[in-house]
Amino acid sequence: TAEVLADQIGLYPNPTDGLLNIVAPGVGINSVSVYDLQGRLVTYEQINVNNVFQLDVNKLNTAVYLLVIDTDRGELRKQFVKR
């Protein structure tokens, strides 16, 4: 279920001012998309090392953003704050 999936995926640090890490032990992440609160897809740099995604959000403005994380168990949405 979505609640179990949400518990298995962690974001840190949140809020962040540089790199945001997405950790998903036991869950395969296919892709991560970042949207602003107006629903626009945001461009960012993404690194995947051993199923830990790192998002370089240095160029993003200070705001709240929505992550759409596509996994092998379904899609999950989480918010993060860029300081």
Side-chain angles (χ1 to χ4, degrees):
T1 65
E3 292 174 3
V4 172
L5 185 59
D7 289 341
Q8 292 179 325
I9 296 178
L11 306 178
Y12 68 91
N14 188 13
T16 185
D17 55 6
L19 285 178
L20 179 69
N21 296 287
I22 303 169
V23 179
V27 177
I29 296 177
N30 301 320
S31 66
V32 177
S33 302
V34 179
Y35 294 88
D36 65 17
L37 290 184
Q38 295 174 342
R40 296 177 295 206
L41 183 62
V42 177
T43 302
Y44 60 93
E45 184 177 336
Q46 171 179 300
I47 303 164
N48 182 4
V49 178
N50 297 327
N51 212 33
V52 174
F53 275 74
Q54 289 185 325
L55 305 181
D56 183 352
V57 295
N58 282 307
K59 296 178 183 175
L60 299 182
N61 294 327
T62 299
V64 176
Y65 293 90
L66 177 67
L67 287 176
V68 178
I69 305 166
D70 180 42
T71 74
D72 55 5
R73 297 186 189 172
E75 189 175 273
L76 178 68
R77 297 168 190 266
K78 288 192 170 232
Q79 289 185 347
F80 77 94
V81 177
K82 166 63 167 74
R83 295 192 260 204

